[in-house]
Amino acid sequence: MTEHSTTPHVAASDLARKVTSLAAPMTHDEMASAVARRGPVYYMEFWLLQAKAYVGSILGVGLLSPLLYLMAMGIGLGVVVDQTTGQDLGMPYLHFVAPALLLSTAIQAATEENTYTVMAGFKWRRTYYAGQVTPLTPGQIADGHVMGVTLRYVVTLVIYFAVLAAFGAIPEWGGLWLLPIGLLTASAVGLPIMAWAATLTEERGQFALMQRFVIMPMTLFSGTFFPLETLPVYLRPLGWVSPLWHGVELGRHAATPIDVTRWLVAVHVAYLVVLSAAGWWFARRTYNRRLVG
Protein backbone atom coordinates (compact mmCIF):
# COMPACT_ATOMS: atom_id res chain seq x y z
CA MET A 1 0.00 0.00 0.00
CA THR A 2 2.83 2.38 0.88
CA GLU A 3 4.60 1.66 -2.42
CA HIS A 4 1.46 2.38 -4.46
CA SER A 5 0.72 5.60 -2.53
CA THR A 6 4.22 7.06 -2.92
CA THR A 7 4.89 6.16 -6.55
CA PRO A 8 2.57 8.82 -8.05
CA HIS A 9 4.08 11.38 -5.68
CA VAL A 10 7.61 10.54 -6.86
CA ALA A 11 6.54 10.69 -10.50
CA ALA A 12 4.93 14.09 -9.98
CA SER A 13 8.09 15.31 -8.26
CA ASP A 14 10.23 14.21 -11.19
CA LEU A 15 7.87 15.99 -13.61
CA ALA A 16 7.99 19.19 -11.58
CA ARG A 17 11.79 19.14 -11.72
CA LYS A 18 11.71 18.79 -15.51
CA VAL A 19 9.11 21.50 -16.15
CA THR A 20 10.19 24.22 -13.69
CA SER A 21 12.83 24.99 -11.10
CA LEU A 22 10.42 24.21 -8.27
CA ALA A 23 12.22 22.14 -5.65
CA ALA A 24 10.01 19.06 -5.55
CA PRO A 25 8.74 17.27 -3.56
CA MET A 26 6.84 20.09 -1.88
CA THR A 27 3.61 20.34 0.04
CA HIS A 28 0.76 22.32 -1.44
CA ASP A 29 1.35 25.20 0.97
CA GLU A 30 5.06 25.27 0.17
CA MET A 31 4.35 25.29 -3.54
CA ALA A 32 1.75 28.05 -3.16
CA SER A 33 4.27 30.12 -1.23
CA ALA A 34 6.96 29.56 -3.87
CA VAL A 35 4.56 30.46 -6.69
CA ALA A 36 3.47 33.62 -4.87
CA ARG A 37 7.11 34.75 -4.89
CA ARG A 38 8.28 33.55 -8.30
CA GLY A 39 5.16 32.58 -10.25
CA PRO A 40 6.02 34.54 -13.44
CA VAL A 41 9.45 32.89 -13.53
CA TYR A 42 7.89 29.43 -13.34
CA TYR A 43 5.47 30.19 -16.15
CA MET A 44 8.32 31.62 -18.20
CA GLU A 45 10.16 28.30 -17.75
CA PHE A 46 7.07 26.49 -19.00
CA TRP A 47 6.89 28.89 -21.97
CA LEU A 48 10.54 28.19 -22.80
CA LEU A 49 9.88 24.46 -22.60
CA GLN A 50 7.23 24.86 -25.31
CA ALA A 51 9.51 27.13 -27.35
CA LYS A 52 12.10 24.35 -27.59
CA ALA A 53 9.92 22.82 -30.31
CA TYR A 54 10.74 25.65 -32.73
CA VAL A 55 14.11 26.90 -31.47
CA GLY A 56 15.71 25.73 -34.73
CA SER A 57 13.44 27.97 -36.79
CA ILE A 58 14.08 30.91 -34.44
CA LEU A 59 17.84 30.57 -34.86
CA GLY A 60 17.62 29.86 -38.59
CA VAL A 61 15.36 32.79 -39.38
CA GLY A 62 17.35 34.97 -37.00
CA LEU A 63 20.51 34.26 -39.00
CA LEU A 64 19.16 34.15 -42.56
CA SER A 65 16.90 37.20 -42.27
CA PRO A 66 19.70 39.73 -41.62
CA LEU A 67 21.91 38.14 -44.26
CA LEU A 68 19.23 38.37 -46.96
CA TYR A 69 18.06 41.85 -46.01
CA LEU A 70 21.60 43.16 -45.84
CA MET A 71 22.47 41.77 -49.25
CA ALA A 72 19.24 43.06 -50.80
CA MET A 73 18.73 46.40 -49.05
CA GLY A 74 21.99 47.41 -47.44
CA ILE A 75 24.46 46.21 -50.07
CA GLY A 76 22.45 45.80 -53.29
CA LEU A 77 20.10 48.77 -53.08
CA GLY A 78 22.65 50.65 -50.99
CA VAL A 79 25.11 50.84 -53.89
CA VAL A 80 22.41 52.39 -56.12
CA VAL A 81 21.31 54.87 -53.45
CA ASP A 82 24.88 55.93 -52.64
CA GLN A 83 25.66 56.50 -56.33
CA THR A 84 22.51 58.46 -57.11
CA THR A 85 22.01 60.54 -53.97
CA GLY A 86 25.63 61.04 -52.97
CA GLN A 87 25.86 62.20 -49.36
CA ASP A 88 22.24 63.37 -49.03
CA LEU A 89 21.76 60.98 -46.12
CA GLY A 90 24.98 62.08 -44.46
CA MET A 91 26.23 58.47 -44.35
CA PRO A 92 26.34 55.31 -46.48
CA TYR A 93 22.90 53.81 -47.03
CA LEU A 94 24.02 50.59 -45.31
CA HIS A 95 24.60 52.51 -42.07
CA PHE A 96 21.31 54.38 -42.50
CA VAL A 97 19.15 51.29 -43.00
CA ALA A 98 20.86 48.84 -40.62
CA PRO A 99 19.20 50.04 -37.34
CA ALA A 100 15.81 50.07 -39.07
CA LEU A 101 16.26 46.51 -40.34
CA LEU A 102 17.09 45.29 -36.84
CA LEU A 103 14.13 47.06 -35.25
CA SER A 104 11.74 45.95 -37.99
CA THR A 105 12.74 42.35 -37.28
CA ALA A 106 12.15 42.94 -33.57
CA ILE A 107 8.55 44.07 -34.12
CA GLN A 108 7.96 41.14 -36.49
CA ALA A 109 9.02 38.77 -33.69
CA ALA A 110 6.79 40.67 -31.26
CA THR A 111 3.84 40.29 -33.64
CA GLU A 112 4.39 36.55 -34.05
CA GLU A 113 4.74 35.80 -30.35
CA ASN A 114 1.77 37.90 -29.21
CA THR A 115 -0.88 36.78 -31.67
CA TYR A 116 -1.00 33.07 -32.49
CA THR A 117 0.79 32.11 -29.26
CA VAL A 118 -1.76 34.00 -27.18
CA MET A 119 -4.66 32.43 -29.08
CA ALA A 120 -3.10 29.01 -28.52
CA GLY A 121 -2.94 29.68 -24.79
CA PHE A 122 -6.63 30.59 -24.59
CA LYS A 123 -8.19 28.35 -27.23
CA TRP A 124 -6.11 25.99 -29.36
CA ARG A 125 -3.92 24.42 -26.66
CA ARG A 126 -5.54 26.03 -23.57
CA THR A 127 -2.21 26.15 -21.75
CA TYR A 128 -3.31 29.24 -19.84
CA TYR A 129 -6.15 27.29 -18.27
CA ALA A 130 -3.71 24.56 -17.28
CA GLY A 131 -1.70 27.16 -15.40
CA GLN A 132 -4.85 28.62 -13.87
CA VAL A 133 -5.65 25.39 -11.98
CA THR A 134 -2.29 25.71 -10.18
CA PRO A 135 -1.51 28.41 -7.59
CA LEU A 136 -0.53 30.71 -10.49
CA THR A 137 -2.65 33.84 -10.89
CA PRO A 138 -3.76 35.21 -14.29
CA GLY A 139 -1.44 38.16 -13.79
CA GLN A 140 1.51 35.85 -13.20
CA ILE A 141 0.65 33.88 -16.33
CA ALA A 142 0.56 37.10 -18.36
CA ASP A 143 3.84 38.25 -16.82
CA GLY A 144 5.47 34.88 -17.48
CA HIS A 145 4.41 35.07 -21.13
CA VAL A 146 5.93 38.56 -21.39
CA MET A 147 9.18 37.36 -19.83
CA GLY A 148 9.34 34.41 -22.19
CA VAL A 149 8.77 36.42 -25.37
CA THR A 150 11.28 39.02 -24.14
CA LEU A 151 13.93 36.31 -24.10
CA ARG A 152 12.91 35.50 -27.67
CA TYR A 153 13.51 39.14 -28.59
CA VAL A 154 16.94 39.03 -26.95
CA VAL A 155 18.01 36.01 -29.01
CA THR A 156 16.73 37.56 -32.25
CA LEU A 157 18.34 40.94 -31.55
CA VAL A 158 21.72 39.53 -30.56
CA ILE A 159 21.95 37.35 -33.69
CA TYR A 160 20.84 40.20 -35.95
CA PHE A 161 23.24 42.67 -34.31
CA ALA A 162 26.15 40.24 -34.69
CA VAL A 163 25.48 39.91 -38.42
CA LEU A 164 25.18 43.69 -38.84
CA ALA A 165 28.44 44.21 -37.00
CA ALA A 166 30.19 41.54 -39.09
CA PHE A 167 29.20 43.42 -42.26
CA GLY A 168 30.40 46.75 -40.86
CA ALA A 169 26.86 48.12 -40.75
CA ILE A 170 27.25 49.54 -37.22
CA PRO A 171 29.87 52.31 -37.42
CA GLU A 172 29.62 53.53 -33.80
CA TRP A 173 30.21 51.73 -30.49
CA GLY A 174 27.01 53.36 -29.34
CA GLY A 175 25.30 50.90 -31.63
CA LEU A 176 25.24 48.51 -28.69
CA TRP A 177 22.31 50.61 -27.48
CA LEU A 178 20.35 49.02 -30.33
CA LEU A 179 19.81 45.96 -28.14
CA PRO A 180 17.86 47.71 -25.32
CA ILE A 181 16.21 50.01 -27.89
CA GLY A 182 15.11 46.92 -29.81
CA LEU A 183 13.67 45.36 -26.65
CA LEU A 184 11.75 48.54 -25.84
CA THR A 185 10.43 48.91 -29.39
CA ALA A 186 9.37 45.26 -29.56
CA SER A 187 7.54 45.66 -26.24
CA ALA A 188 5.83 48.87 -27.39
CA VAL A 189 4.42 46.94 -30.35
CA GLY A 190 4.04 43.48 -28.84
CA LEU A 191 2.33 44.30 -25.54
CA PRO A 192 -0.61 46.23 -27.05
CA ILE A 193 -0.99 43.41 -29.59
CA MET A 194 -0.96 40.89 -26.74
CA ALA A 195 -3.71 42.85 -24.96
CA TRP A 196 -5.78 42.91 -28.15
CA ALA A 197 -5.20 39.25 -29.00
CA ALA A 198 -6.28 38.24 -25.49
CA THR A 199 -9.73 39.72 -26.14
CA LEU A 200 -10.38 37.47 -29.17
CA THR A 201 -12.31 34.25 -28.73
CA GLU A 202 -11.96 33.16 -32.37
CA GLU A 203 -9.26 33.65 -35.01
CA ARG A 204 -10.89 34.29 -38.35
CA GLY A 205 -8.08 36.02 -40.16
CA GLN A 206 -7.73 38.99 -37.80
CA PHE A 207 -4.03 38.33 -37.27
CA ALA A 208 -3.33 38.24 -41.01
CA LEU A 209 -5.27 41.47 -41.48
CA MET A 210 -3.40 43.13 -38.65
CA GLN A 211 -0.09 42.03 -40.19
CA ARG A 212 -1.11 43.34 -43.60
CA PHE A 213 -2.78 46.61 -42.64
CA VAL A 214 -0.92 47.60 -39.45
CA ILE A 215 2.53 46.03 -39.23
CA MET A 216 3.43 46.27 -42.92
CA PRO A 217 2.37 49.93 -43.28
CA MET A 218 4.17 50.66 -40.02
CA THR A 219 7.34 49.27 -41.57
CA LEU A 220 6.91 51.30 -44.75
CA PHE A 221 5.92 54.65 -43.20
CA SER A 222 8.31 54.81 -40.23
CA GLY A 223 11.41 56.19 -41.90
CA THR A 224 12.90 52.73 -42.20
CA PHE A 225 14.11 52.62 -45.82
CA PHE A 226 14.05 56.37 -46.47
CA PRO A 227 13.87 59.51 -44.29
CA LEU A 228 10.39 60.32 -43.05
CA GLU A 229 10.88 63.90 -44.31
CA THR A 230 10.75 62.66 -47.91
CA LEU A 231 7.08 61.69 -47.50
CA PRO A 232 4.30 64.18 -48.30
CA VAL A 233 3.36 66.27 -45.27
CA TYR A 234 -0.05 64.61 -44.96
CA LEU A 235 1.56 61.15 -44.62
CA ARG A 236 4.17 62.05 -42.01
CA PRO A 237 1.76 61.72 -39.05
CA LEU A 238 1.61 57.99 -39.85
CA GLY A 239 5.27 57.85 -38.90
CA TRP A 240 4.97 60.09 -35.86
CA VAL A 241 2.42 57.79 -34.19
CA SER A 242 4.37 54.65 -35.10
CA PRO A 243 6.41 53.11 -32.28
CA LEU A 244 8.79 51.80 -34.93
CA TRP A 245 9.64 55.36 -36.05
CA HIS A 246 10.46 56.37 -32.48
CA GLY A 247 12.64 53.27 -32.10
CA VAL A 248 14.38 53.86 -35.45
CA GLU A 249 15.15 57.47 -34.53
CA LEU A 250 16.68 56.32 -31.25
CA GLY A 251 18.59 53.54 -33.01
CA ARG A 252 20.07 55.84 -35.65
CA HIS A 253 21.03 58.34 -32.98
CA ALA A 254 22.90 55.57 -31.12
CA ALA A 255 24.50 53.74 -34.06
CA THR A 256 25.30 56.52 -36.56
CA PRO A 257 26.61 60.11 -36.50
CA ILE A 258 23.03 61.45 -36.67
CA ASP A 259 22.47 63.80 -33.73
CA VAL A 260 19.16 64.16 -31.89
CA THR A 261 18.42 66.72 -29.20
CA ARG A 262 18.04 65.38 -25.66
CA TRP A 263 14.42 66.45 -25.32
CA LEU A 264 13.52 64.55 -28.48
CA VAL A 265 15.32 61.44 -27.19
CA ALA A 266 13.23 61.76 -24.02
CA VAL A 267 10.04 62.02 -26.10
CA HIS A 268 10.93 58.88 -28.07
CA VAL A 269 11.71 56.88 -24.93
CA ALA A 270 8.64 58.13 -23.06
CA TYR A 271 6.34 57.26 -25.99
CA LEU A 272 7.68 53.70 -26.17
CA VAL A 273 7.53 53.25 -22.39
CA VAL A 274 3.92 54.49 -22.21
CA LEU A 275 2.81 52.13 -25.00
CA SER A 276 4.57 49.21 -23.31
CA ALA A 277 3.14 49.96 -19.87
CA ALA A 278 -0.40 50.51 -21.18
CA GLY A 279 -0.27 47.32 -23.23
CA TRP A 280 0.97 45.29 -20.27
CA TRP A 281 -1.69 46.73 -17.96
CA PHE A 282 -4.54 46.01 -20.38
CA ALA A 283 -3.16 42.53 -21.08
CA ARG A 284 -3.12 41.63 -17.38
CA ARG A 285 -6.69 42.87 -16.99
CA THR A 286 -7.86 40.84 -19.96
CA TYR A 287 -6.07 37.69 -18.78
CA ASN A 288 -7.74 38.07 -15.39
CA ARG A 289 -11.16 38.51 -16.99
CA ARG A 290 -10.73 35.56 -19.34
CA LEU A 291 -9.27 33.14 -16.79
CA VAL A 292 -11.24 34.07 -13.68
CA GLY A 293 -14.43 35.46 -15.15
Side-chain angles (χ1 to χ4, degrees), residues 13-258:
S13 301
D14 292 339
L15 179 61
R17 288 192 184 95
K18 292 179 181 178
V19 174
T20 72
S21 58
L22 279 170
M26 303 175 70
T27 66
H28 182 275
D29 290 341
E30 290 172 338
M31 184 175 294
S33 177
V35 169
R37 296 192 306 271
R38 303 182 70 240
V41 175
Y42 297 138
Y43 193 83
M44 176 194 69
E45 293 173 347
F46 172 66
W47 188 95
L48 292 174
L49 188 67
Q50 298 180 89
K52 286 175 62 178
Y54 56 96
V55 67
S57 63
I58 292 176
L59 297 177
V61 172
L63 182 61
L64 289 176
S65 178
L67 287 173
L68 294 175
Y69 270 102
L70 277 174
M71 288 187 288
M73 303 299 297
I75 298 175
L77 180 62
V79 172
V80 178
V81 173
D82 291 339
Q83 290 176 349
T84 56
T85 64
Q87 293 298 314
D88 290 352
L89 294 174
M91 68 187 78
Y93 186 70
L94 175 62
H95 295 169
F96 175 83
V97 79
L101 292 177
L102 181 143
L103 294 172
S104 297
T105 299
I107 70 166
Q108 289 289 343
T111 304
E112 294 171 8
E113 294 295 351
N114 289 292
T115 50
Y116 296 101
T117 305
V118 171
M119 181 61 72
F122 281 114
K123 183 174 179 63
W124 297 329
R125 301 183 66 187
R126 300 182 67 84
T127 50
Y128 292 150
Y129 293 97
Q132 176 62 13
V133 300
T134 72
L136 286 169
T137 66
Q140 290 177 325
I141 293 173
D143 293 346
H145 173 89
V146 172
M147 293 167 66
V149 299
T150 299
L151 289 178
R152 157 76 193 278
Y153 306 156
V154 170
V155 172
T156 299
L157 288 168
V158 168
I159 294 174
Y160 213 116
F161 183 87
V163 174
L164 292 177
F167 276 80
I170 309 294
E172 303 282 341
W173 278 105
L176 288 170
W177 281 102
L178 281 170
L179 298 177
I181 291 170
L183 284 177
L184 182 58
T185 305
S187 298
V189 174
L191 288 170
I193 289 176
M194 174 187 174
W196 167 69
T199 66
L200 301 178
T201 56
E202 297 284 345
E203 205 292 303
R204 296 176 178 173
Q206 298 99 315
F207 297 154
L209 291 174
M210 188 269 298
Q211 177 73 34
R212 185 169 300 174
F213 295 109
V214 177
I215 301 303
M216 186 59 68
M218 185 188 302
T219 303
L220 296 175
F221 295 101
S222 296
T224 48
F225 305 116
F226 46 84
L228 189 64
E229 293 75 18
T230 61
L231 286 174
V233 174
Y234 58 86
L235 287 179
R236 293 177 192 175
L238 294 176
W240 298 337
V241 300
S242 164
L244 179 58
W245 177 74
H246 292 272
V248 167
E249 288 294 293
L250 287 173
R252 287 201 178 113
H253 171 59
T256 70
I258 289 180

Side-chain angles (χ1 to χ4, degrees), residues 1-10:
M1 181 69 178
T2 303
E3 180 180 354
H4 288 290
S5 62
T6 57
T7 299
H9 178 70
V10 173

Side-chain angles (χ1 to χ4, degrees), residues 274-285:
V274 168
L275 281 179
S276 301
W280 200 337
W281 185 78
F282 279 109
R284 294 179 100 255
R285 285 197 61 181

